Amino acid sequence: MDQLTGASPRHVLEAVAGRVGCDLTSGEVASYLDEHDELRHLREQFLIPKVADLPPSDLSLVNGSQDCVYFVGNSLGLQPKSAEGYLRQEMEKWAKIGIHGHMQGERPWAWAENNLEALMANIVGAKPEEVALMNGLTVNLHLLLLSFYKPTATRHKILMEDKAFPSDHYTVESQIRLKGYDPEESMVCLSPRTGEETLRTEDILEVIAQEGESIAVVMFSGVQYYTGQLFDMAAITEAGHDKGCYVGFDCAHAAGNVELKLHDWGVDFACWCSYKYINAGAGGLAGAFLHEKHTDTVQPALMGWWGHVIETRFDMTNVMELQPGISGFRLSNQPILLVCPLQASLEVFNMTSMKALRRKSVLLTAYLELLIQCSYTRDPGRPTRPHVSILTPSDPLQRGCQLSLSFSTPIKEVFHQLEKRGVACDMREPNVLRVAPVPLYNSFSDVHRFVKLLGLALAASTQPQ
């Protein structure tokens, strides 16, 4: 498919259908795309649950020996095959040499996470010294806002999207209260225009232009968790800086999903979890970014001994020698059992590049979108037929690999019927099913199979119970 480089995803898919000599909805198109997928070998690096092992599955409806259709990597990524071995190594080391494990072995516990930061920096478009692996996402967001949110009587607002992920909302609200301000006055939450599902970039930039002199921090998601919208982080950062605001991002749904250039865009700070697209397991070790321009000017408000320079950390002088940049924000030693699965996943990422993953992702998601549109869009001539609407922007530049779907039939029943057929996806109230074909381990055949199962689920959801 090299000759199709630069073509729109739809053009590529239509060209493949023409080459195969069949309709776009044929499974032969999926097979062809999988055969020519340069990243297909990465799927072998992950453990994919079998249908029979998923508790809601009904084996009278589906072959239990098949891999499930796992489209929920936007909530919890799959387990890398090497993770178990790395965990076993550390458990055996603990058993055999005890405390000496802090300094011995492939992953000395005292600095094991430091060995992974260059790999993580590649994923988020940063320099290794701008990235730290520590804590959980919300803890890191609190630590960063403590240093960046310095409200004054005239500049005290934090700008964010309405219906941000609840944890972000709670963090911002509590930070505002902590600094003695009222969230009712200091939180500016942007909503889409009436009748629209996602924010327009021009509306975000207009608010920054109009209210920027009263805004201390602009803080958006990289990818909005509910709609799947990818924000124009470069434009938002530039607009915020033009008005003297700090700009930060929660990249939980962006890291490992889309190409990020946190350093080049000049983003002031960012944080992300590692258990979604980065596949480090539930509650995995999170990441934080501080741009190098702030290395000597932005200091942590809270300090712990892991922020002390490593060479003299164990001298126990009680005189802080703070590590420069984001490393100085560390508080405590990192759990080695969380480092292991993160290492396993980052090594898989290191077998390719975010550019290559994004290229596959754009085509994979476009394929899903087109198949849904071909089969389940509203048909005015058949008003009673169940149909699907896609909330996520159709422009690949404004989305990652997630599509957020809403239905003309009760969503809980559709979700239940999909689960019975071995589909792992994600329902979010009030009315969205989030499906995410992840390029690291999902195939075009997964997409084709999902769309067929979606038809069966829709039909079953409308039958009298």
Side-chain angles (χ1 to χ4, degrees):
M1 292 188 288
D2 290 343
Q3 65 270 35
L4 295 174
T5 300
S8 71
R10 187 182 190 104
H11 180 215
V12 172
L13 293 168
E14 290 174 345
V16 168
R19 185 171 301 172
V20 174
C22 62
D23 184 81
L24 183 61
T25 60
S26 168
E28 293 182 43
V29 172
S31 297
Y32 181 92
L33 290 166
D34 284 335
E35 289 170 7
H36 292 81
D37 174 17
E38 62 181 14
L39 302 181
R40 63 186 180 275
H41 61 288
L42 298 178
R43 182 182 176 98
E44 301 167 4
Q45 302 296 321
F46 293 90
L47 295 168
I48 301 174
K50 297 295 183 182
V51 170
D53 294 328
L54 297 183
S57 298
D58 183 344
L59 300 186
S60 68
L61 298 174
V62 68
N63 180 358
S65 65
Q66 285 184 300
D67 291 340
C68 78
V69 178
Y70 197 85
F71 276 6
V72 72
N74 57 335
S75 189
L76 181 69
L78 289 177
Q79 182 184 139
K81 289 182 178 178
S82 57
E84 183 179 359
Y86 291 167
L87 285 163
R88 190 181 302 112
Q89 287 175 5
E90 297 312 311
M91 295 297 287
E92 291 175 354
K93 185 168 70 173
W94 181 21
K96 291 179 179 179
I97 64 175
I99 195 170
H100 299 287
H102 280 99
M103 305 295 175
Q104 303 295 323
E106 294 182 16
R107 282 170 293 277
W109 303 335
W111 58 81
E113 76 279 5
N114 299 141
N115 298 331
L116 305 180
E117 284 159 353
L119 295 177
M120 183 65 84
N122 289 336
I123 292 175
V124 298
K127 296 183 177 182
E129 60 270 22
E130 295 175 320
V131 170
L133 299 173
M134 58 187 189
N135 310 314
L137 184 155
T138 304
V139 174
N140 290 340
L141 184 54
H142 271 297
L143 293 174
L144 289 163
L145 281 175
L146 279 170
S147 294
F148 277 98
Y149 181 53
K150 302 293 186 182
T152 66
T154 57
R155 191 187 284 272
H156 57 86
K157 296 177 181 178
I158 296 180
L159 176 67
M160 62 192 302
E161 77 262 26
D162 188 31
K163 296 183 179 178
F165 193 79
S167 192
D168 288 6
H169 186 102
Y170 305 149
T171 299
V172 169
E173 185 176 352
S174 59
Q175 286 287 333
I176 289 171
R177 286 202 177 99
L178 185 65
K179 300 296 176 66
Y181 287 81
D182 183 355
E184 291 291 329
E185 297 179 357
S186 297
M187 286 183 73
V188 181
C189 299
L190 297 188
S191 298
R193 296 184 186 186
T194 302
E196 297 184 0
E197 300 290 347
T198 56
L199 284 164
R200 297 190 187 189
T201 301
E202 61 263 32
D203 291 348
I204 299 172
L205 303 185
E206 183 179 355
V207 171
I208 295 174
Q210 291 178 350
E211 301 188 37
E213 293 179 2
S214 66
I215 296 172
V217 176
V218 176
M219 206 211 80
F220 275 76
S221 306
V223 172
Q224 219 283 337
Y225 84 99
Y226 187 79
T227 66
Q229 179 183 10
L230 169 60
F231 290 113
D232 190 337
M233 300 168 70
I236 292 171
T237 301
E238 182 179 5
H241 288 168
D242 286 346
K243 301 299 287 188
C245 313
Y246 287 125
V247 182
F249 291 93
D250 174 352
C251 292
H253 288 268
N257 178 13
V258 296
E259 277 193 276
L260 298 175
K261 300 179 181 180
L262 297 181
H263 176 83
D264 290 349
W265 294 335
V267 172
D268 295 300
F269 67 92
C271 51
W272 56 94
C273 59
S274 64
Y275 50 82
K276 302 182 191 299
Y277 296 104
I278 302 179
N279 317 301
L285 199 60
F289 164 87
L290 178 73
H291 198 282
E292 67 175 1
K293 64 188 173 185
H294 297 303
T295 297
D296 299 319
T297 57
V298 176
Q299 301 293 306
L302 301 177
M303 294 190 297
W305 77 315
W306 232 245
H308 195 287
V309 295
I310 194 169
E311 292 80 7
T312 57
R313 180 182 292 159
F314 291 91
D315 289 355
M316 307 301 188
T317 63
N318 286 353
V319 177
M320 172 59 81
E321 295 179 62
L322 194 67
Q323 293 187 73
I326 191 62
S327 292
F329 284 71
R330 301 174 192 271
L331 298 177
S332 302
N333 53 322
Q334 311 310 324
I336 187 61
L337 299 185
L338 297 185
V339 172
C340 292
L342 179 56
Q343 177 183 344
S345 181
L346 292 178
E347 288 174 347
V348 179
F349 275 98
N350 200 42
M351 296 176 183
T352 181
S353 67
M354 284 307 303
K355 184 177 291 294
L357 287 168
R358 177 63 170 157
R359 186 165 57 245
K360 176 182 174 180
S361 177
V362 167
L363 193 60
L364 197 63
T365 307
Y367 183 50
L368 173 61
E369 179 185 42
L370 282 172
L371 290 187
I372 291 173
Q373 290 173 340
C374 286
S375 304
Y376 307 122
T377 53
R378 185 184 184 92
D379 183 353
R382 301 168 63 190
T384 61
R385 189 189 74 161
H387 60 269
V388 181
S389 300
I390 301 175
L391 277 61
T392 311
S394 59
D395 179 2
L397 298 179
Q398 296 185 57
R399 69 184 184 199
C401 70
Q402 172 186 316
L403 292 185
S404 296
L405 312 179
S406 65
F407 300 87
S408 61
T409 57
I411 190 170
K412 289 184 179 180
E413 185 58 25
V414 177
F415 178 62
H416 176 62
Q417 292 295 336
L418 283 169
E419 283 195 315
K420 288 170 66 174
R421 288 163 173 79
V423 175
C425 54
D426 181 67
M427 187 182 74
R428 292 284 168 165
E429 298 289 356
N431 190 39
V432 156
L433 199 68
R434 305 186 308 168
V435 293
V438 175
L440 268 178
Y441 48 73
N442 283 130
S443 66
F444 293 90
S445 294
D446 285 338
V447 170
H448 188 267
R449 185 170 150 218
F450 168 79
V451 174
K452 287 183 64 177
L453 293 173
L454 178 59
L456 296 175
L458 284 169
S461 70
T462 58
Q463 292 176 359
Q465 299 299 313

